[in-house]
Amino acid sequence: MPAKIVTLTLNPALDKSTEISHLVPEQKLRCGPLQLDAGGGGINVSKAIQRLGGKSLAVFPAGGHNGKVLCELLKKEGVKTNALPVPGETRENISVLESASNAQYRFTLPGLQISENQADECLDIIKKLKPDYLVASGSLAPGLPETYYEKVAVFAKDIGARFILDTSGAALQAAADEGLFLLKPNLAELSALAGVEKLEINEVDDAALKIIHEGKCEVVVVSLGPQGALLVTRDGFEHIPAPMVKKQSTVGAGDSMVAGMVWGLNEGKSFHEMAQIGVACGTAATMNHGTELFHAEDVWRLLEWIQKYGERYQIRDFGA
Ligand SMILES: Nc1ncnc2c1ncn2[C@@H]1O[C@H](COP(=O)(O)OP(=O)(O)OP(=O)(O)O)[C@@H](O)[C@H]1O
Ligand SMILES: [Mg+2]
């Protein structure tokens, strides 16, 4: 059976995390055990879909020993992969939790350089998979032009896949100019797309609607951190409040949200329910430490809350 959801990660990483009581300079620091995780936007989305009981296939370039470890880690989690072998070593990211302060230090190393031809080879792999949904998340690898996601947007149209993109800056702008299915910008990303320094909360719906009217996408889900999200379509907008939870770390909240939404769409859910599932997944991800995404049982509990009580906490006068 052809894969329904395919994720693309052009700048994957092997995430290494550990813990230390106090981070101090000069001294030898004795760290806790090393935890290895497969990382990178699209890969996180695939991992999160798996946790929801769904299926996807993760496509990414993989280099050297780290690339191999990345594939093994995903296999262990049951995530199907189709990695393009590339020369060089897939990057590592390092995060250190200082337990005394509960502060997390995240060191992100430069990504493995890949050529446009190699990225095109990833697209060739995807073409054969005939996905219904193509999700790209994260930054572009060094070596790729800033307009590369624009090419992916054209490609997605050619193969008849609905393209969902979660990235930022010039890469996002270029793809949006080409037009795609769904965008999930946060407030800063939406402001940049709208060409303004900072949008006020009451300008968010108009800015998102303008993007839709300009033909940049069909649906915008603006993620608003602890305030949840604003779903905007041609027909109007709806605020989905996020339940209050004890926040541990917001790492992976955006990818979890995207995963929930694409999973929901693939299950035939409406945009309304898609956005509710997205918020439930994003918020559930904040309940865990570090790079850990979410536990499915938290998602279903939070979703129930949103569906029962969300309306009470809705902001209805965004445009006021
Ligand atoms: N402090 C929080 N409390 C509750 N829910 C949160 C919080 N932060 C994020 N979320 C949930 O996660 C979703 C995505 O978060 P956010 O808007 O911060 O995305 P983002 O800026 O793209 O995140 P990322 O840094 O992962 O890219 C939100 O819509 C919300 O559901
Ligand atoms: Mg994000």
Side-chain angles (χ1 to χ4, degrees):
M1 207 181 79
K4 293 281 183 192
I5 306 171
V6 170
T7 64
L8 173 64
T9 311
L10 289 165
N11 200 10
L14 180 61
D15 288 331
K16 294 186 159 179
S17 41
T18 187
E19 204 170 313
I20 191 155
S21 58
H22 292 89
L23 200 60
V24 281
E26 310 295 339
Q27 281 178 30
K28 193 181 266 185
L29 303 171
R30 307 246 174 238
C31 302
L34 179 68
Q35 157 95 20
L36 290 179
D37 288 293
I43 286 174
N44 279 336
V45 172
S46 275
K47 282 164 54 172
I49 289 172
Q50 186 75 14
R51 292 200 166 196
L52 292 172
K55 283 196 180 3
S56 72
L57 198 136
V59 175
F60 52 90
H65 174 73
N66 290 346
K68 221 184 266 172
V69 176
L70 199 70
C71 293
E72 279 163 16
L73 287 167
L74 287 168
K75 198 172 161 197
K76 245 191 241 163
E77 286 192 47
V79 175
K80 287 215 178 91
T81 60
N82 204 329
L84 176 80
V86 290
E89 194 65 51
T90 292
R91 72 171 158 157
E92 290 172 22
N93 288 334
I94 298 156
S95 65
V96 180
L97 177 72
E98 188 189 48
S99 45
S101 62
N102 208 23
Q104 191 158 30
Y105 295 85
R106 299 171 69 194
F107 304 93
T108 304
L109 295 166
L112 173 61
Q113 184 115 8
I114 68 163
S115 67
E116 190 160 353
N117 278 345
Q118 286 164 338
D120 290 349
E121 279 184 61
C122 290
L123 299 188
D124 289 340
I125 294 174
I126 294 170
K127 193 173 180 175
K128 293 196 188 99
L129 298 166
K130 297 194 180 77
D132 295 321
Y133 293 95
L134 173 58
V135 186
S137 174
S139 53
L140 289 166
L144 291 177
E146 273 183 342
T147 52
Y148 194 77
Y149 280 138
E150 185 182 337
K151 189 173 188 175
V152 182
V154 174
F155 164 80
K157 279 184 210 162
D158 284 349
I159 64 162
R162 288 169 152 185
F163 185 30
I164 297 172
L165 179 63
D166 183 7
T167 191
S168 56
L172 172 60
Q173 187 75 55
D177 287 343
E178 176 52 41
L180 43 87
F181 176 61
L182 186 150
L183 286 171
K184 189 228 70 73
N186 58 26
L187 215 45
E189 289 154 357
L190 181 71
S191 305
L193 270 181
V196 298
E197 202 169 312
K198 189 178 177 287
L199 283 168
E200 295 304 327
I201 196 80
N202 63 348
E203 297 169 327
V204 171
D205 57 331
D206 279 345
L209 201 56
K210 189 160 173 271
I211 285 168
I212 294 172
H213 283 145
E214 285 168 352
K216 291 182 172 162
C217 66
E218 288 178 42
V219 193
V220 185
V221 179
V222 188
S223 66
L224 304 166
Q227 284 178 291
L230 191 72
L231 163 68
V232 187
T233 65
R234 223 165 253 283
D235 303 329
F237 68 88
E238 183 196 346
H239 174 230
I240 294 105
M244 266 231 266
V245 296
K246 187 165 187 290
K247 184 193 83 175
Q248 302 289 0
S249 148
T250 59
V251 180
D255 287 331
S256 295
M257 178 179 207
V258 170
M261 293 198 296
V262 67
W263 176 83
L265 286 172
N266 198 44
E267 294 287 309
K269 309 285 185 200
S270 63
F271 288 145
H272 164 73
E273 213 175 330
M274 164 201 81
Q276 290 182 327
I277 298 166
V279 169
C281 288
T283 301
T286 69
M287 296 167 67
N288 295 323
H289 282 290
T291 46
E292 158 117 67
L293 296 173
F294 56 71
H295 297 294
E297 61 266 28
D298 290 330
V299 171
W300 309 132
R301 197 168 45 78
L302 296 180
L303 182 61
E304 208 181 309
W305 183 93
I306 293 169
Q307 290 177 337
K308 258 196 196 155
Y309 306 111
E311 244 176 79
R312 274 192 216 170
Y313 299 90
Q314 233 172 17
I315 305 170
R316 292 191 180 79
D317 52 354
F318 262 87

